Amino acid sequence: VEPHVSIVTLGVADVAAARRFYVEGLGWPTVYDAPEVVFIQVGHGLLLALWGVADLTADIGSGPLGGGPAPISLAHNVGSEQAVHDVLAAAERAGATIVKPAQRAVYGGLQGYFADPDGFRWEVAHNPGLRVGADGRVTLEAVES
Amino acid sequence: VEPHVSIVTLGVADVAAARRFYVEGLGWPTVYDAPEVVFIQVGHGLLLALWGVADLTADIGSGPLGGGPAPISLAHNVGSEQAVHDVLAAAERAGATIVKPAQRAVYGGLQGYFADPDGFRWEVAHNPGLRVGADGRVTLEAVES
C-alpha cells in the first residue's frame, strides 16, 4: 500500500462556526465551500475537510464516535520562532483557545498548542531539525528525550 | 496564516502495535523510528506520527483527551475502484477492522472505511472528481448530496 493521506476530515459540531474560524479567521482559502462541508487545501495534494460530526459518523456507519478532545494533533510547522508567536496570536484572534503558550519543545525548537472551536488540537512549531526537501521529502533529526 | 499541515499525530495506546500495523503490515517506510514515537512520510512534506496517547496528552498539557473512536477520518484516495478493494484487503490482512465495506459513495465514486488498531478511521476512496495537479493543487467537483 502506497503511504499517503489525501484528506484530513474533522467532524465538527457546527460547520459554519468551523468555517468562520478557518476561512474567515485564519484566512485559509477553500477548494469547495458548501453549507454542509468545506474543503481547504493545506498541503501538496492535501485537503482539510470540515464536516458535521453527525454526517461523518453516518458516512462511516460504524456507530458513534468519541467525545472530548480527539486524541490527535495536527502540526503546523513554521520557519522561525517569531512565526510560532505570530500564528498562535492569529489563531487566538480568530477564536482559538491557547492551550499551551509558546515554550521550548523537547526537540529543541519552540512549540505551542491551540484548540479550534471544536477542541481539535493544533501544534504550532518551529523545529529546526525538521526539513522538507524540494521534492517534498521530510528529514527529521533525532528527537531529544 | 499560511494554510498547511506538517504532521498528523495519532495518540495511540501502544506505539509498537501501531508500528506493526502501519510499518510491518502496510509496509509504510519510516522517517524516524524509535520505541516512543514513529514518523512515516504520507505526503509531500507531510508526516504521520504514531505517539503514545499519554505522551501526546502530556505534550499538549491541557487535560485528558477524549476516548472512543476520534471524530476524524483520514482519507487515502486511490486511482481506481479496484485499488479501493485492494487497499481494504491489505489493511485487513495487516490487522485493520473493516468498518464499511467498499460501496458507492455519495460523491459518485467507491469508498470503504477501515479502523486501525486504535480505532482511527481511514477512508479508502476512489473519487473521480478529486484531482491533484502536478503542483499539488487539488480540485474537487461538486459533491452530490
Side-chain angles (χ1 to χ4, degrees):
Chain A
V1 178
E2 185 80 10
H4 76 264
V5 174
S6 315
I7 307 172
V8 177
T9 298
L10 305 181
V12 301
D14 178 345
V15 174
R19 189 190 181 288
R20 270 195 301 280
F21 175 70
Y22 287 99
V23 179
E24 291 164 43
L26 296 184
W28 290 8
T30 60
V31 168
Y32 183 87
D33 195 350
E36 68 277 14
V37 64
V38 175
F39 289 92
I40 297 164
Q41 181 134 11
V42 289
H44 188 284
L46 180 67
L47 299 178
L48 180 72
L50 310 174
W51 201 18
V53 66
D55 286 341
L56 174 62
T57 302
D59 193 53
I60 299 175
S62 62
L65 301 174
I72 64 156
S73 72
L74 302 175
H76 177 89
N77 279 46
V78 293
S80 69
E81 298 199 346
Q82 185 56 47
V84 173
H85 295 289
D86 294 347
V87 171
L88 287 171
E92 191 167 27
R93 283 194 304 273
T97 302
I98 304 300
V99 293
K100 185 180 193 177
Q103 56 197 262
R104 288 291 125 204
V106 290
Y107 47 77
L110 193 75
Q111 68 161 188
Y113 281 93
F114 69 80
D116 85 356
D118 283 276
F120 288 107
R121 268 56 174 161
W122 283 80
E123 182 191 17
V124 181
H126 173 60
N127 179 353
L130 187 154
R131 294 194 187 83
V132 183
D135 62 352
R137 184 174 290 264
V138 181
T139 55
L140 202 54
E141 284 174 15
V143 176
E144 296 162 39
S145 60
Chain B
V1 178
E2 185 80 10
H4 75 262
V5 174
S6 316
I7 308 172
V8 177
T9 298
L10 305 181
V12 301
D14 178 343
V15 174
R19 188 190 183 287
R20 270 196 300 279
F21 176 69
Y22 287 99
V23 179
E24 290 165 42
L26 296 184
W28 291 7
T30 59
V31 168
Y32 183 86
D33 195 349
E36 67 277 15
V37 63
V38 175
F39 289 92
I40 297 164
Q41 180 132 13
V42 289
H44 188 285
L46 180 67
L47 299 178
L48 180 73
L50 311 173
W51 201 18
V53 66
D55 287 340
L56 174 62
T57 302
D59 193 53
I60 299 175
S62 63
L65 301 174
I72 64 157
S73 72
L74 301 175
H76 177 89
N77 279 45
V78 294
S80 70
E81 299 200 345
Q82 186 55 49
V84 174
H85 294 290
D86 294 345
V87 171
L88 286 171
E92 190 167 27
R93 283 195 303 273
T97 302
I98 304 301
V99 293
K100 184 179 193 177
Q103 57 199 262
R104 287 292 126 205
V106 291
Y107 48 77
L110 193 73
Q111 68 162 187
Y113 282 93
F114 69 81
D116 85 356
D118 283 276
F120 288 107
R121 268 55 173 161
W122 284 80
E123 182 191 16
V124 181
H126 173 61
N127 179 352
L130 186 154
R131 293 193 189 83
V132 182
D135 61 353
R137 184 174 289 265
V138 181
T139 55
L140 202 54
E141 283 173 15
V143 175
E144 296 162 39
S145 60

